[in-house]
Amino acid sequence: MTDAASQGPIIEMRAVDKWYGDFHVLKGIDLEVKKGERVVVCGPSGSGKSTMIRCINRLEEHQQGQIIVAGIELTSDIKNIEAIRREVGMVFQQFNLFPHLTVLQNLTLAPIWVRKLPRREAEETARLYLERVRIPEQADKYPGQLSGGQQQRVAIARSLCMKPEIMLFDEPTSALDPEMIKEVLDVMVELAREGMTMVCVTHEMGFARTVADTMVFMDRGEIVERGPPQEFFANPKSERTKLFLSQILAH
Amino acid sequence: MTDIDLARELHVTAEVTPPPATSGPIGWLRANLFSSVFNTVLTVLAVAFLALAIPPVVRWAVFDAVWTAASSRGCQGAGACWAFIGEKFRFILFGTFPYEEQWRPLFVVVIFIAVILASCDRRLWGVRLALLWLAGLAAVGILMWGGVLGLTYVPNEAWSGLPLTLILAVIGMAFAFPLAILLALGRRSRLPAVRAICVAYIELIRGVPLLTLLFMASVMLPLFLPTGMTIDKLLRAQVAIILFAAAYLAEVIRGGLQAIPKGQIEAADALGLSYTRRTRFVVLPQALALVIPPLVNTFIGTFKDTTLVIIIGLFDLLGTINASLNDASWRGTSVEAYVFGAAIYFCFCFFMSRYSQMLEREFNRGRRS
């Protein structure tokens, strides 16, 4: 990308506020993510973590403050929004694969129509990424014929096919059966090792310890604490973080 | 060996080959016709009804029927007078189109059927099919009007019978469908003005019977036009049918749009797809596949609604059937004429419903999660 982006933070949120009606979901969020940084966001449910990362690619609109992604400020200008979405991949809790398209078509749709790649090239890239998420043999199946873990890996591959600068993960393993969580996390760990910039909302603390450069703890719409994982897990500063960690790590 | 073991053993062997009474024709009969006392009674009653009803119908339609006669005086028996259909079928099918030129509307019917059959092949969907439709409609226009390529000119007041029905129905649906998609999308638009226009249009048209719409198009519209300016009666009826069908189809399609989970739209957005592409590749294919049954329902309704144009003096298939009954030398043949007409309508409608079932199966393949 641009020089500015590689030097400064690639995601910058400054004093971001958001309300649902009267409910104040995000309160003065400040967050900076550098290129190649892996940020894991955790917190109790309803703390605004999903809302926060959905603001980064404008699936949710913020009402106050500034969000700058890859050097582009998010405004209501649809051109800016689409430019940012091209650079930001997102993986959802519910996979959200397109059920009427085959796996290969799911992977090539955006590269062909947004990146304007020739079909052949898009398909080559798609098969490459299917290989990387270890399901090359499923290319011609429909999403409904795959297991949850396989579907989520297809969803990750679908985002990667756009060659994004940043990947957002919104609780990617929360809808999976326990035995399928590992296969998805393995793919994510690999992605982290390759230097992808990642913002990840998850309750998988083992994963967080392995890959995170920065832990962010949110509660009631605020960022309560942030820091490197060793410190975050060993001696959390805030009482709320301590309580949350004791609950989530108890068993 | 205990009793339980024995039972288990028997159970296992029973699973290897199902007992004869649950499979094969006898098994089918037992499961479907005689599964309970109530069903057995229903089966017996149904068979009795068929035994009573079918023989007289067959006797009337086949054994006692008169196949050739010069006039209804030759048809004095108890059977059907198919001679009337033999005498009048060209008038019923092609109406007042010049007799020696009737190969032209025949070709038109063949072209319509061919284009419709081609449209059923999903591999052709796209630009090629659109071109085929354009070529087909151009050929239909040339054949019906003539005036070029050495064909004599036939004014569209002379168009009647089956070709007229097909023109009204097929062109009506072909134009109403895209219009309906736009209306349905517009009704869900974020722009209040677009939404208001679409809602007003749909509610207004749905609130008025087609008959009224046709009347307004044929009687009232000319009153508002400046003197000397006329719009062809057929065109006015065609436009009324398109506008009417579009309002109904739009509501059907909106039902499909509402059934698409929000996650699908978010996923498309997150990939950077624009509104148009998201709609074209993600939302519409899923929404339309969901509403195939009510869509086809509306199409079949539209096809049969074209018979209402008789009220403004256009002679569609039903119109030519009615006209054929006015012949003084053929009396008492209305049942035969309407049975013939009903059979033609049934063929088209039945085809549509079978095709929709096939489409549904195809769209649902591999999609069960």
Side-chain angles (χ1 to χ4, degrees):
Chain A
M1 276 302 285
T2 58
D3 283 345
S6 56
Q7 288 156 11
I10 194 163
I11 302 174
E12 207 177 343
M13 302 178 93
R14 274 193 229 130
V16 171
D17 275 278
K18 179 174 175 61
W19 289 263
Y20 286 130
D22 286 338
F23 181 59
H24 202 172
V25 251
L26 295 181
K27 301 173 188 163
I29 298 288
D30 287 298
L31 182 74
E32 283 189 1
V33 180
K34 288 193 284 292
K35 196 169 166 56
E37 188 177 357
R38 273 87 58 175
V39 177
V40 170
V41 183
C42 62
S45 66
S47 59
K49 24 186 220 311
S50 281
T51 308
M52 183 187 77
I53 77 162
R54 287 158 60 88
C55 280
I56 296 173
N57 65 350
R58 194 67 164 196
L59 288 184
E60 303 282 352
E61 204 173 315
H62 62 286
Q63 285 137 342
Q64 269 176 32
Q66 233 186 349
I67 301 179
I68 300 164
V69 182
I72 308 167
E73 176 166 5
L74 265 176
T75 58
S76 50
D77 183 353
I78 189 74
K79 286 276 156 278
N80 279 4
I81 296 172
E82 281 173 9
I84 286 174
R85 284 173 177 168
R86 280 196 290 272
E87 305 307 330
V88 180
M90 183 163 214
V91 175
F92 300 86
Q93 183 178 351
Q94 300 296 340
F95 327 139
N96 294 345
L97 294 175
F98 306 131
H100 62 301
L101 302 177
T102 63
V103 166
L104 196 65
Q105 289 167 332
N106 263 282
L107 266 59
T108 55
L109 182 66
I112 290 174
W113 292 100
V114 180
R115 289 264 188 243
K116 315 282 182 201
L117 287 187
R119 179 172 302 272
R120 179 188 297 270
E121 201 178 315
E123 284 181 0
E124 273 169 26
T125 317
R127 289 191 193 277
L128 203 76
Y129 280 112
L130 279 182
E131 200 111 15
R132 287 202 18 206
V133 299
R134 303 187 198 98
I135 35 176
E137 71 286 355
Q138 311 287 2
D140 298 316
K141 287 200 181 159
Y142 286 94
Q145 296 166 308
L146 306 183
S147 73
Q150 290 172 326
Q151 288 192 48
Q152 193 60 298
R153 284 184 283 155
V154 171
I156 294 173
R158 177 173 70 176
S159 290
L160 291 177
C161 280
M162 285 293 283
K163 308 249 168 82
E165 298 272 313
I166 303 161
M167 284 287 282
L168 307 176
F169 292 84
D170 188 1
E171 304 205 25
T173 55
S174 300
L176 294 174
D177 291 336
E179 75 271 22
M180 293 171 182
I181 290 177
K182 187 176 175 298
E183 63 189 51
V184 171
L185 290 181
D186 284 349
V187 167
M188 289 168 63
V189 169
E190 212 174 285
L191 202 58
R193 290 218 177 95
E194 285 160 19
M196 174 65 78
T197 311
M198 292 164 75
V199 181
C200 205
V201 172
T202 183
H203 296 297
E204 297 294 332
M205 290 302 133
F207 168 78
R209 270 186 231 265
T210 321
V211 306
D213 298 311
T214 310
M215 291 297 300
V216 170
F217 174 68
M218 283 183 74
D219 192 16
R220 289 176 229 155
E222 296 169 307
I223 293 183
V224 176
E225 188 165 344
R226 78 189 82 193
Q230 310 85 300
E231 212 177 298
F232 179 85
F233 287 109
N235 38 34
K237 289 188 274 299
S238 127
E239 283 309 311
R240 284 196 263 176
T241 317
K242 272 181 210 159
L243 179 67
F244 175 75
L245 287 177
S246 71
Q247 282 165 342
I248 203 164
L249 299 174
H251 39 107
Chain B
M1 189 183 272
T2 66
D3 283 356
I4 293 169
D5 286 336
L6 186 66
R8 228 174 248 154
E9 182 127 308
L10 284 174
H11 187 65
V12 168
T13 44
E15 271 180 349
V16 174
T17 49
T22 61
S23 65
I26 293 170
W28 185 89
L29 281 178
R30 196 174 272 189
N32 293 293
L33 299 179
F34 302 103
S35 60
S36 67
V37 177
F38 182 64
N39 277 350
T40 308
V41 171
L42 281 185
T43 303
V44 170
L45 284 177
V47 169
F49 172 77
L50 290 176
L52 285 175
I54 290 176
V57 171
V58 173
R59 221 176 300 132
W60 176 82
V62 182
F63 296 115
D64 292 349
V66 179
W67 300 91
T68 50
S71 73
S72 56
R73 253 167 294 160
C75 284
Q76 299 299 347
C81 186
W82 297 127
F84 169 76
I85 302 296
E87 174 78 16
K88 295 285 186 189
F89 82 93
R90 278 186 65 167
F91 179 77
I92 290 176
L93 288 180
F94 306 124
T96 51
F97 207 88
Y99 193 79
E100 60 288 352
E101 299 285 337
Q102 284 182 358
W103 59 273
R104 282 157 55 178
L106 177 65
F107 260 103
V108 165
V109 171
V110 171
I111 288 172
F112 269 128
I113 293 175
V115 173
I116 291 167
L117 287 178
S119 312
C120 292
D121 187 346
R122 284 182 62 205
R123 283 166 302 176
L124 290 176
W125 289 10
V127 181
R128 273 186 297 172
L129 191 63
L131 291 175
L132 186 70
W133 270 89
L134 279 181
L137 291 181
V140 165
I142 291 170
L143 283 167
M144 291 304 283
W145 267 303
V148 288
L149 306 172
L151 299 169
T152 49
Y153 174 69
V154 178
N156 56 22
E157 284 75 26
W159 299 7
S160 37
L162 185 59
L164 184 72
T165 293
L166 288 180
I167 286 172
L168 289 171
V170 175
I171 296 181
M173 294 175 204
F175 281 83
F177 188 55
L179 179 59
I181 290 177
L182 293 180
L183 283 169
L185 292 172
R187 192 166 183 171
R188 289 169 57 79
S189 166
R190 275 196 219 167
L191 309 171
V194 173
R195 201 166 53 225
I197 290 170
C198 293
V199 171
Y201 173 88
I202 292 170
E203 296 304 336
L204 203 66
I205 299 277
R206 276 205 310 173
V208 176
L210 177 57
L211 212 55
T212 317
L213 213 59
L214 286 169
F215 252 133
M216 291 198 326
S218 81
V219 182
M220 285 172 64
L221 194 62
L223 297 179
F224 297 120
L225 290 175
T227 40
M229 184 181 169
T230 55
I231 304 177
D232 183 74
K233 186 159 71 174
L234 177 62
L235 181 64
R236 276 178 278 156
Q238 182 74 79
V239 169
I241 288 172
I242 291 172
L243 296 182
F244 189 76
Y248 278 86
L249 287 170
E251 285 299 276
V252 169
I253 294 168
R254 187 167 68 96
L257 292 176
Q258 277 174 344
I260 302 301
K262 206 160 162 265
Q264 291 289 306
I265 290 164
E266 288 179 352
D269 281 346
L271 285 167
L273 289 166
S274 63
Y275 172 82
T276 326
R277 302 224 160 94
R278 181 183 88 194
T279 306
R280 177 171 156 205
F281 296 114
V282 177
V283 177
L284 274 182
Q286 296 187 65
L288 294 179
L290 278 173
V291 294
I292 288 172
L295 268 184
V296 173
N297 202 21
T298 311
F299 277 145
I300 289 177
T302 306
F303 185 74
K304 293 185 295 185
D305 279 350
T306 58
T307 51
L308 291 171
V309 297
I310 206 165
I311 207 82
I312 57 169
L314 290 173
F315 281 86
D316 73 327
L317 186 57
L318 192 61
T320 53
I321 289 172
N322 281 335
S324 74
L325 294 172
N326 288 332
D327 189 335
S329 56
W330 294 92
R331 290 279 163 219
T333 50
S334 53
V335 175
E336 290 81 348
Y338 288 127
V339 166
F340 180 65
I344 294 175
Y345 279 105
F346 178 80
C347 286
F348 283 98
C349 295
F350 187 65
F351 168 78
M352 283 192 260
S353 100
R354 295 306 301 194
Y355 176 62
S356 82
Q357 285 173 15
M358 198 198 86
L359 260 192
E360 257 182 277
R361 268 198 306 275
E362 220 167 292
F363 278 126
N364 286 330
R365 191 186 299 151
R367 224 148 341 120
R368 297 269 165 262
S369 51

